[in-house]
Amino acid sequence: MARVVVDVMLKPEILDPQGQAVQRALPRLGFEGISDVRQGKRFELQVDGPVDDAALARIHDLAESFLANTVIEDFTVKVEEVAEAAK
C-alpha cells in the first residue's frame, strides 16, 4: 500500500484572502518575520497495489478534473512511503 499526496495551491497571481487574514493576525499573536502566507489543500490518497506510471497518470487526471480548479489553482502529485503498522 502506498500514499499519494496531492497538494493544491492557488496560483501566485490569484488573491488569497485566507492567507492574507492569517498573515495579518500573526504579529498580533507574537509571530514576527512572516512576510507572506498562502493557504492550500492537501489530499492523501491510499493506493492499493503498486504506484506505477499508470496509477500516477490516473491520480493526475483525478487531481486535474476533481481536486483542483486548474483555472485558479496549481497542484503537485507525489508518492510518500507508508510505514507498516506494528503487529
Side-chain angles (χ1 to χ4, degrees):
M1 183 178 304
R3 176 183 299 138
V4 177
V5 175
V6 179
D7 288 312
V8 180
M9 294 292 294
L10 287 170
K11 292 182 178 183
E13 62 271 16
I14 302 298
L15 181 67
D16 183 358
Q18 287 179 302
Q20 289 178 342
V22 170
Q23 193 271 327
R24 285 191 304 270
L26 291 175
R28 291 191 307 266
L29 298 170
F31 297 99
E32 300 293 334
I34 307 296
S35 60
D36 191 30
V37 175
R38 303 288 289 175
Q39 186 262 324
K41 301 178 278 190
R42 175 182 168 104
F43 298 92
E44 295 182 359
L45 310 171
Q46 296 293 339
V47 179
D48 295 329
V51 180
D52 55 14
D53 289 341
L56 282 175
R58 284 190 359 259
I59 292 169
H60 187 277
D61 289 343
L62 165 73
E64 188 170 44
S65 63
F66 184 65
L67 301 179
N69 176 349
T70 57
V71 173
I72 62 169
E73 295 174 319
D74 293 324
F75 66 91
T76 60
V77 177
K78 65 184 174 195
V79 179
E80 286 187 352
E81 295 297 322
V82 177
E84 292 294 322
K87 294 184 181 185

Coordinates of all heavy atoms in Angstrom, one line a residue:
M1 N 0.8 -1.2 0.0 CA 0.0 0.0 0.0 C 0.9 1.2 0.0 O 1.9 1.3 0.7 CB -0.9 0.0 1.2 CG -1.9 1.2 1.3 SD -3.0 1.2 2.7 CE -3.8 -0.4 2.5
A2 N 0.5 2.2 -0.7 CA 1.3 3.5 -0.8 C 0.3 4.7 -0.6 O -0.9 4.6 -0.7 CB 1.9 3.6 -2.2
R3 N 0.9 5.8 -0.2 CA 0.2 7.0 -0.1 C 0.7 8.0 -1.2 O 1.8 8.2 -1.4 CB 0.5 7.6 1.3 CG -0.2 9.0 1.4 CD 0.1 9.7 2.7 NE -0.3 8.9 3.8 CZ 0.4 8.7 5.0 NH1 1.6 9.2 5.1 NH2 -0.1 7.9 5.9
V4 N -0.3 8.5 -1.9 CA 0.0 9.6 -2.9 C -0.6 10.9 -2.3 O -1.8 10.9 -1.9 CB -0.6 9.2 -4.2 CG1 -0.4 10.3 -5.2 CG2 0.0 7.9 -4.8
V5 N 0.2 11.9 -2.3 CA -0.3 13.2 -1.8 C -0.4 14.2 -3.0 O 0.4 14.3 -3.8 CB 0.8 13.8 -0.8 CG1 0.4 15.2 -0.3 CG2 0.9 12.8 0.4
V6 N -1.6 14.8 -3.0 CA -1.9 15.9 -3.9 C -2.0 17.2 -3.1 O -2.8 17.3 -2.3 CB -3.2 15.6 -4.7 CG1 -3.4 16.7 -5.7 CG2 -3.1 14.3 -5.4
D7 N -1.1 18.1 -3.4 CA -1.1 19.4 -2.8 C -1.7 20.4 -3.8 O -1.2 20.5 -5.0 CB 0.3 19.9 -2.4 CG 0.8 19.1 -1.2 OD1 0.0 19.0 -0.2 OD2 2.0 18.6 -1.2
V8 N -2.7 21.2 -3.4 CA -3.3 22.1 -4.3 C -3.1 23.5 -3.7 O -3.4 23.8 -2.5 CB -4.8 21.8 -4.4 CG1 -5.5 22.8 -5.3 CG2 -5.1 20.4 -4.9
M9 N -2.6 24.5 -4.5 CA -2.4 25.8 -4.1 C -3.0 26.8 -5.1 O -3.0 26.5 -6.3 CB -0.9 26.1 -3.9 CG -0.2 25.3 -2.8 SD -0.7 25.8 -1.2 CE -0.1 27.4 -1.0
L10 N -3.5 27.9 -4.6 CA -3.9 29.0 -5.6 C -2.6 29.4 -6.4 O -1.5 29.5 -5.9 CB -4.4 30.2 -4.8 CG -5.8 30.0 -4.2 CD1 -6.1 31.2 -3.3 CD2 -6.9 29.9 -5.2
K11 N -2.9 29.7 -7.6 CA -1.8 30.2 -8.5 C -1.3 31.6 -7.9 O -2.1 32.3 -7.2 CB -2.3 30.5 -9.9 CG -2.6 29.2 -10.6 CD -3.0 29.4 -12.0 CE -3.3 28.0 -12.7 NZ -3.7 28.2 -14.1
P12 N 0.0 31.9 -8.1 CA 0.6 33.1 -7.4 C -0.2 34.4 -7.7 O -0.3 35.3 -6.9 CB 2.0 33.1 -7.9 CG 2.3 31.7 -8.4 CD 1.0 31.1 -8.8
E13 N -0.8 34.5 -8.9 CA -1.4 35.7 -9.3 C -2.9 35.8 -8.7 O -3.5 36.9 -8.9 CB -1.4 35.9 -10.8 CG -2.2 34.8 -11.5 CD -1.4 33.6 -11.9 OE1 -0.3 33.4 -11.4 OE2 -1.8 32.8 -12.8
I14 N -3.4 34.8 -8.1 CA -4.7 34.8 -7.5 C -4.7 35.3 -6.1 O -3.9 34.8 -5.3 CB -5.3 33.4 -7.6 CG1 -5.4 32.9 -9.0 CG2 -6.7 33.4 -7.0 CD1 -6.2 33.7 -10.0
L15 N -5.6 36.2 -5.8 CA -5.7 36.7 -4.4 C -6.0 35.6 -3.4 O -6.9 34.8 -3.7 CB -6.8 37.8 -4.4 CG -7.0 38.5 -3.0 CD1 -5.8 39.3 -2.6 CD2 -8.2 39.4 -3.1
D16 N -5.4 35.6 -2.3 CA -5.6 34.6 -1.3 C -6.1 35.2 0.0 O -5.3 35.5 0.9 CB -4.3 33.8 -1.0 CG -4.5 32.6 0.0 OD1 -5.6 32.5 0.5 OD2 -3.5 31.9 0.2
P17 N -7.4 35.5 0.2 CA -7.9 36.2 1.3 C -7.6 35.4 2.7 O -7.4 36.1 3.7 CB -9.3 36.4 1.1 CG -9.7 35.6 -0.1 CD -8.4 35.2 -0.8
Q18 N -7.7 34.1 2.6 CA -7.5 33.4 3.9 C -6.0 33.5 4.3 O -5.7 33.7 5.5 CB -7.8 31.9 3.7 CG -9.3 31.7 3.7 CD -9.7 30.2 3.4 OE1 -9.2 29.6 2.5 NE2 -10.4 29.7 4.4
G19 N -5.1 33.4 3.3 CA -3.7 33.5 3.6 C -3.4 34.9 4.1 O -2.6 35.1 5.1
Q20 N -4.0 35.9 3.5 CA -3.8 37.3 4.0 C -4.3 37.5 5.4 O -3.7 38.2 6.2 CB -4.5 38.3 3.0 CG -3.8 38.4 1.7 CD -4.5 39.3 0.7 OE1 -5.7 39.7 0.9 NE2 -3.8 39.8 -0.3
A21 N -5.5 36.9 5.7 CA -6.0 37.1 7.1 C -5.1 36.4 8.1 O -4.8 37.0 9.2 CB -7.4 36.4 7.2
V22 N -4.5 35.3 7.8 CA -3.5 34.7 8.7 C -2.3 35.5 8.8 O -1.8 35.8 9.9 CB -3.2 33.2 8.2 CG1 -2.0 32.7 9.0 CG2 -4.4 32.3 8.3
Q23 N -1.8 36.0 7.7 CA -0.6 36.8 7.7 C -0.8 38.1 8.6 O 0.1 38.5 9.3 CB -0.2 37.2 6.3 CG 1.2 37.8 6.2 CD 1.2 39.3 6.3 OE1 0.3 40.0 5.9 NE2 2.3 39.8 6.9
R24 N -1.9 38.7 8.5 CA -2.2 39.9 9.3 C -2.3 39.6 10.8 O -2.0 40.4 11.6 CB -3.5 40.6 8.8 CG -3.3 41.4 7.5 CD -4.5 42.3 7.2 NE -5.7 41.5 7.1 CZ -6.3 41.0 6.1 NH1 -5.7 41.0 4.9 NH2 -7.4 40.4 6.2
A25 N -2.8 38.4 11.1 CA -3.0 38.1 12.5 C -1.7 37.7 13.2 O -1.6 37.8 14.4 CB -4.0 36.9 12.6
L26 N -0.7 37.2 12.5 CA 0.5 36.7 13.1 C 1.2 37.6 14.0 O 1.6 37.3 15.1 CB 1.4 36.1 12.0 CG 1.0 34.9 11.3 CD1 1.9 34.5 10.1 CD2 0.8 33.7 12.2
P27 N 1.4 38.9 13.6 CA 2.1 39.8 14.5 C 1.3 40.0 15.8 O 2.0 40.1 16.9 CB 2.2 41.1 13.7 CG 2.2 40.7 12.3 CD 1.2 39.5 12.3
R28 N 0.0 40.1 15.7 CA -0.8 40.2 17.0 C -0.6 39.0 17.9 O -0.9 39.1 19.1 CB -2.3 40.4 16.6 CG -2.6 41.7 15.9 CD -4.0 42.0 15.8 NE -4.8 40.9 15.2 CZ -5.1 40.9 13.9 NH1 -4.7 41.8 13.1 NH2 -5.8 39.8 13.4
L29 N -0.3 37.9 17.3 CA -0.1 36.7 18.1 C 1.3 36.4 18.6 O 1.6 35.4 19.1 CB -0.7 35.5 17.3 CG -2.1 35.5 17.0 CD1 -2.5 34.4 16.0 CD2 -3.0 35.4 18.3
G30 N 2.2 37.4 18.2 CA 3.6 37.3 18.6 C 4.5 36.6 17.6 O 5.6 36.3 18.0
F31 N 4.0 36.4 16.4 CA 4.9 35.7 15.4 C 5.3 36.8 14.4 O 4.6 37.2 13.6 CB 4.1 34.6 14.7 CG 3.7 33.5 15.6 CD1 2.4 33.4 16.1 CD2 4.6 32.5 15.9 CE1 2.0 32.4 16.9 CE2 4.2 31.5 16.7 CZ 2.9 31.4 17.2
E32 N 6.6 37.2 14.5 CA 7.1 38.2 13.7 C 8.0 37.6 12.6 O 8.4 36.5 12.7 CB 8.0 39.2 14.5 CG 7.3 39.8 15.7 CD 6.2 40.8 15.2 OE1 6.4 41.4 14.1 OE2 5.3 41.0 16.0
G33 N 8.2 38.4 11.5 CA 9.1 37.9 10.5 C 8.5 37.1 9.4 O 9.2 36.6 8.5
I34 N 7.2 36.9 9.4 CA 6.5 36.2 8.3 C 5.9 37.2 7.3 O 5.1 38.0 7.7 CB 5.3 35.3 8.9 CG1 5.8 34.4 10.0 CG2 4.7 34.5 7.7 CD1 6.8 33.4 9.6
S35 N 6.5 37.2 6.1 CA 6.1 38.3 5.2 C 4.9 37.9 4.2 O 4.3 38.7 3.6 CB 7.3 38.7 4.3 OG 7.8 37.5 3.6
D36 N 4.6 36.6 4.1 CA 3.5 36.2 3.3 C 3.0 34.8 3.7 O 3.8 34.0 4.2 CB 4.0 36.1 1.8 CG 2.8 35.9 0.8 OD1 1.7 36.4 1.1 OD2 3.0 35.3 -0.3
V37 N 1.7 34.6 3.5 CA 1.1 33.3 3.8 C 0.2 32.9 2.7 O -0.6 33.8 2.2 CB 0.3 33.3 5.2 CG1 -0.4 32.0 5.4 CG2 1.2 33.6 6.3
R38 N 0.3 31.7 2.2 CA -0.6 31.2 1.2 C -1.3 29.9 1.7 O -0.6 29.1 2.3 CB 0.1 30.8 -0.1 CG 0.9 31.9 -0.8 CD 0.1 33.0 -1.4 NE -0.6 32.5 -2.6 CZ -1.4 33.1 -3.3 NH1 -1.8 34.3 -3.0 NH2 -2.0 32.6 -4.4
Q39 N -2.6 29.8 1.6 CA -3.3 28.7 2.2 C -3.7 27.8 1.0 O -4.0 28.2 -0.1 CB -4.6 29.3 2.8 CG -5.4 28.3 3.6 CD -6.5 27.7 2.8 OE1 -7.2 28.5 2.0 NE2 -6.8 26.5 2.9
G40 N -3.6 26.5 1.3 CA -3.9 25.5 0.3 C -4.6 24.3 0.8 O -5.1 24.3 2.0
K41 N -4.7 23.2 0.0 CA -5.3 22.0 0.4 C -4.3 20.8 0.2 O -3.5 20.8 -0.7 CB -6.6 21.7 -0.5 CG -7.6 22.8 -0.4 CD -8.8 22.5 -1.3 CE -8.4 23.0 -2.7 NZ -9.5 23.0 -3.7
R42 N -4.5 19.8 1.0 CA -3.7 18.6 0.9 C -4.6 17.4 0.9 O -5.4 17.3 1.8 CB -2.7 18.5 2.1 CG -1.9 17.2 2.1 CD -1.0 17.2 3.3 NE -0.4 15.9 3.6 CZ 0.9 15.6 3.3 NH1 1.7 16.5 2.8 NH2 1.4 14.4 3.5
F43 N -4.4 16.5 -0.1 CA -5.2 15.3 -0.2 C -4.3 14.1 -0.1 O -3.3 14.1 -0.8 CB -6.0 15.2 -1.5 CG -7.0 16.3 -1.7 CD1 -6.6 17.5 -2.3 CD2 -8.3 16.2 -1.3 CE1 -7.5 18.5 -2.5 CE2 -9.2 17.2 -1.5 CZ -8.8 18.4 -2.1
E44 N -4.5 13.2 0.8 CA -3.7 12.0 1.0 C -4.6 10.8 0.5 O -5.6 10.5 1.0 CB -3.3 11.8 2.4 CG -2.4 12.8 2.9 CD -2.0 12.6 4.4 OE1 -2.4 11.6 5.0 OE2 -1.2 13.4 4.9
L45 N -4.1 10.2 -0.5 CA -4.8 9.0 -1.2 C -4.1 7.7 -0.9 O -2.9 7.6 -1.2 CB -4.9 9.2 -2.7 CG -5.4 10.6 -3.1 CD1 -5.3 10.8 -4.6 CD2 -6.9 10.8 -2.7
Q46 N -4.7 6.8 -0.2 CA -4.1 5.5 0.0 C -4.4 4.6 -1.3 O -5.5 4.5 -1.7 CB -4.8 4.8 1.2 CG -4.5 5.5 2.5 CD -3.1 5.4 2.9 OE1 -2.3 4.6 2.5 NE2 -2.7 6.4 3.8
V47 N -3.4 4.1 -1.9 CA -3.5 3.4 -3.1 C -3.2 1.9 -2.9 O -2.2 1.5 -2.3 CB -2.5 3.9 -4.2 CG1 -2.6 3.2 -5.5 CG2 -2.8 5.4 -4.4
D48 N -4.1 1.0 -3.3 CA -3.9 -0.4 -3.2 C -3.0 -0.8 -4.3 O -3.3 -0.4 -5.5 CB -5.2 -1.2 -3.3 CG -6.1 -0.9 -2.1 OD1 -5.6 -0.6 -1.0 OD2 -7.4 -0.9 -2.2
G49 N -2.0 -1.6 -4.1 CA -1.1 -2.1 -5.1 C 0.0 -1.1 -5.4 O 0.1 -0.1 -4.7
P50 N 0.7 -1.4 -6.4 CA 1.9 -0.5 -6.7 C 1.5 0.8 -7.3 O 0.4 0.9 -8.0 CB 2.7 -1.3 -7.8 CG 1.7 -2.2 -8.4 CD 0.6 -2.5 -7.4
V51 N 2.3 1.8 -7.1 CA 2.0 3.1 -7.7 C 3.0 3.3 -8.9 O 4.1 3.8 -8.8 CB 2.3 4.3 -6.7 CG1 2.0 5.6 -7.3 CG2 1.4 4.1 -5.5
D52 N 2.5 2.7 -10.0 CA 3.3 2.8 -11.2 C 2.9 4.0 -12.0 O 2.1 4.8 -11.6 CB 3.1 1.5 -12.0 CG 1.7 1.1 -12.3 OD1 0.8 2.0 -12.1 OD2 1.4 0.0 -12.7
D53 N 3.4 4.1 -13.3 CA 3.1 5.2 -14.1 C 1.7 5.3 -14.4 O 1.1 6.4 -14.5 CB 4.0 5.2 -15.4 CG 5.4 5.4 -15.2 OD1 5.8 6.0 -14.1 OD2 6.3 5.1 -16.0
A54 N 1.0 4.2 -14.6 CA -0.4 4.2 -15.0 C -1.2 4.7 -13.8 O -2.2 5.6 -13.9 CB -0.9 2.8 -15.4
A55 N -0.9 4.3 -12.6 CA -1.6 4.8 -11.4 C -1.4 6.3 -11.2 O -2.3 7.0 -10.9 CB -1.2 4.0 -10.1
L56 N -0.2 6.7 -11.3 CA 0.1 8.2 -11.2 C -0.6 9.0 -12.2 O -1.1 10.1 -12.0 CB 1.6 8.4 -11.3 CG 2.4 8.1 -10.0 CD1 3.9 8.3 -10.2 CD2 1.9 8.9 -8.8
A57 N -0.7 8.4 -13.5 CA -1.5 9.2 -14.5 C -3.0 9.3 -14.1 O -3.6 10.3 -14.3 CB -1.3 8.4 -15.8
R58 N -3.5 8.2 -13.6 CA -4.9 8.3 -13.1 C -5.1 9.3 -12.0 O -6.1 10.0 -12.0 CB -5.4 6.9 -12.7 CG -5.7 5.9 -13.8 CD -6.4 4.6 -13.3 NE -6.7 4.4 -11.9 CZ -6.0 3.7 -11.1 NH1 -4.9 3.0 -11.5 NH2 -6.3 3.6 -9.8
I59 N -4.2 9.3 -11.1 CA -4.3 10.3 -10.0 C -4.1 11.7 -10.5 O -4.8 12.6 -10.0 CB -3.3 9.9 -8.9 CG1 -3.7 8.6 -8.2 CG2 -3.2 11.0 -7.8 CD1 -2.7 7.9 -7.3
H60 N -3.2 11.9 -11.4 CA -3.0 13.2 -12.0 C -4.3 13.6 -12.7 O -4.8 14.8 -12.5 CB -1.9 13.2 -13.0 CG -1.5 14.5 -13.6 ND1 -2.2 15.1 -14.6 CD2 -0.6 15.4 -13.2 CE1 -1.7 16.3 -14.8 NE2 -0.7 16.5 -14.0
D61 N -5.0 12.7 -13.4 CA -6.3 13.1 -14.0 C -7.3 13.4 -13.0 O -8.1 14.3 -13.1 CB -6.8 11.9 -14.9 CG -6.0 11.7 -16.2 OD1 -5.2 12.7 -16.5 OD2 -6.1 10.7 -16.8
L62 N -7.4 12.6 -11.9 CA -8.3 12.9 -10.8 C -8.0 14.3 -10.2 O -9.0 15.0 -10.0 CB -8.1 11.8 -9.7 CG -8.7 12.1 -8.3 CD1 -10.2 12.0 -8.4 CD2 -8.1 11.2 -7.3
A63 N -6.8 14.6 -9.9 CA -6.5 15.9 -9.4 C -6.9 17.0 -10.3 O -7.4 18.0 -9.9 CB -5.0 16.0 -9.1
E64 N -6.6 16.9 -11.6 CA -6.9 17.9 -12.6 C -8.4 18.1 -12.8 O -8.8 19.2 -13.0 CB -6.2 17.5 -13.9 CG -6.3 18.6 -14.9 CD -5.4 18.3 -16.1 OE1 -5.4 17.1 -16.6 OE2 -4.7 19.1 -16.6
S65 N -9.2 17.0 -12.7 CA -10.6 17.2 -13.0 C -11.5 17.3 -11.8 O -12.6 17.8 -11.9 CB -11.1 16.0 -13.8 OG -10.9 14.8 -13.1
F66 N -11.0 16.9 -10.6 CA -11.8 16.9 -9.4 C -11.3 17.6 -8.2 O -12.0 18.3 -7.5 CB -12.1 15.4 -9.1 CG -13.1 15.3 -7.9 CD1 -14.4 15.7 -8.0 CD2 -12.7 14.7 -6.7 CE1 -15.3 15.5 -7.0 CE2 -13.5 14.5 -5.7 CZ -14.9 14.9 -5.8
L67 N -10.0 17.5 -7.9 CA -9.4 18.0 -6.7 C -9.0 19.5 -6.8 O -9.0 20.2 -5.8 CB -8.2 17.2 -6.2 CG -8.5 15.7 -5.9 CD1 -7.2 15.0 -5.5 CD2 -9.6 15.6 -4.9
A68 N -8.6 19.9 -8.0 CA -8.2 21.3 -8.2 C -9.0 22.0 -9.3 O -9.4 21.3 -10.2 CB -6.7 21.3 -8.6
N69 N -9.2 23.3 -9.1 CA -9.8 24.1 -10.1 C -8.6 24.7 -10.9 O -8.0 25.7 -10.5 CB -10.6 25.2 -9.5 CG -11.2 26.2 -10.5 OD1 -10.8 26.1 -11.7 ND2 -12.1 27.0 -10.1
T70 N -8.2 24.1 -12.0 CA -7.0 24.4 -12.7 C -7.0 25.8 -13.3 O -6.0 26.3 -13.8 CB -6.6 23.4 -13.7 OG1 -7.7 23.2 -14.7 CG2 -6.3 22.0 -13.1
V71 N -8.1 26.5 -13.3 CA -8.2 27.9 -13.8 C -7.5 28.8 -12.8 O -6.7 29.7 -13.1 CB -9.6 28.4 -14.0 CG1 -9.7 29.8 -14.3 CG2 -10.3 27.5 -15.1
I72 N -7.6 28.5 -11.5 CA -7.0 29.3 -10.4 C -6.1 28.6 -9.5 O -5.4 29.2 -8.7 CB -8.1 30.0 -9.6 CG1 -9.0 29.0 -8.8 CG2 -9.0 30.9 -10.4 CD1 -9.9 29.6 -7.8
E73 N -5.9 27.3 -9.6 CA -5.1 26.5 -8.7 C -4.1 25.7 -9.5 O -4.3 25.2 -10.6 CB -5.9 25.6 -7.9 CG -6.9 26.3 -6.9 CD -7.8 25.4 -6.2 OE1 -8.3 24.4 -6.8 OE2 -8.0 25.6 -5.0
D74 N -2.9 25.5 -8.9 CA -1.9 24.6 -9.4 C -1.9 23.4 -8.4 O -2.3 23.5 -7.2 CB -0.5 25.2 -9.3 CG -0.3 26.3 -10.3 OD1 -0.9 26.2 -11.4 OD2 0.4 27.3 -10.0
F75 N -1.4 22.2 -8.8 CA -1.3 21.1 -7.9 C 0.0 20.3 -8.2 O 0.5 20.4 -9.3 CB -2.5 20.2 -8.1 CG -2.7 19.5 -9.4 CD1 -2.1 18.3 -9.6 CD2 -3.4 20.1 -10.4 CE1 -2.3 17.6 -10.8 CE2 -3.5 19.5 -11.6 CZ -3.0 18.2 -11.9
T76 N 0.4 19.6 -7.2 CA 1.5 18.6 -7.4 C 1.1 17.3 -6.9 O 0.2 17.2 -6.0 CB 2.8 19.1 -6.6 OG1 2.4 19.2 -5.2 CG2 3.3 20.4 -7.1
V77 N 1.7 16.2 -7.4 CA 1.4 14.9 -7.0 C 2.7 14.2 -6.7 O 3.7 14.3 -7.4 CB 0.7 14.1 -8.2 CG1 0.5 12.6 -7.8 CG2 -0.6 14.7 -8.6
K78 N 2.7 13.6 -5.5 CA 4.0 12.9 -5.1 C 3.6 11.7 -4.3 O 2.6 11.6 -3.6 CB 4.9 13.8 -4.3 CG 4.3 14.3 -2.9 CD 5.2 15.3 -2.2 CE 4.5 15.8 -1.0 NZ 5.1 17.0 -0.4
V79 N 4.5 10.7 -4.3 CA 4.3 9.4 -3.6 C 5.1 9.5 -2.3 O 6.2 10.0 -2.3 CB 4.8 8.2 -4.4 CG1 4.7 6.9 -3.7 CG2 4.1 8.2 -5.8
E80 N 4.4 9.1 -1.2 CA 5.1 9.1 0.1 C 5.1 7.6 0.6 O 4.2 6.9 0.3 CB 4.3 9.9 1.2 CG 4.5 11.4 1.0 CD 3.8 12.1 2.2 OE1 3.2 11.5 3.0 OE2 4.0 13.4 2.2
E81 N 6.2 7.3 1.3 CA 6.3 6.0 1.9 C 5.3 5.8 3.1 O 5.2 6.8 3.8 CB 7.7 5.7 2.3 CG 8.7 5.6 1.1 CD 8.4 4.5 0.2 OE1 8.0 3.4 0.6 OE2 8.5 4.7 -1.1
V82 N 4.7 4.7 3.2 CA 3.8 4.5 4.3 C 4.5 3.5 5.2 O 4.8 2.4 4.8 CB 2.4 4.0 3.9 CG1 1.6 3.6 5.1 CG2 1.8 4.9 3.0
A83 N 4.7 3.8 6.5 CA 5.3 2.9 7.5 C 4.3 1.8 7.8 O 3.1 2.1 8.0 CB 5.7 3.7 8.7
E84 N 4.8 0.6 7.8 CA 3.9 -0.5 8.2 C 3.6 -0.5 9.6 O 4.4 -0.2 10.5 CB 4.6 -1.9 7.9 CG 4.8 -2.1 6.4 CD 3.6 -2.3 5.6 OE1 2.6 -3.0 6.2 OE2 3.5 -1.8 4.5
A85 N 2.3 -0.7 10.0 CA 1.9 -0.7 11.3 C 2.4 -1.9 12.1 O 2.5 -3.0 11.6 CB 0.3 -0.7 11.4
A86 N 2.8 -1.6 13.3 CA 3.4 -2.7 14.2 C 2.2 -3.7 14.5 O 1.1 -3.3 14.8 CB 3.9 -2.2 15.4
K87 N 2.6 -5.0 14.4 CA 1.5 -6.0 14.6 C 1.7 -6.7 16.0 O 2.7 -6.8 16.5 CB 1.6 -7.1 13.5 CG 1.2 -6.4 12.2 CD 1.1 -7.5 11.1 CE 0.7 -6.8 9.8 NZ 0.5 -7.7 8.8

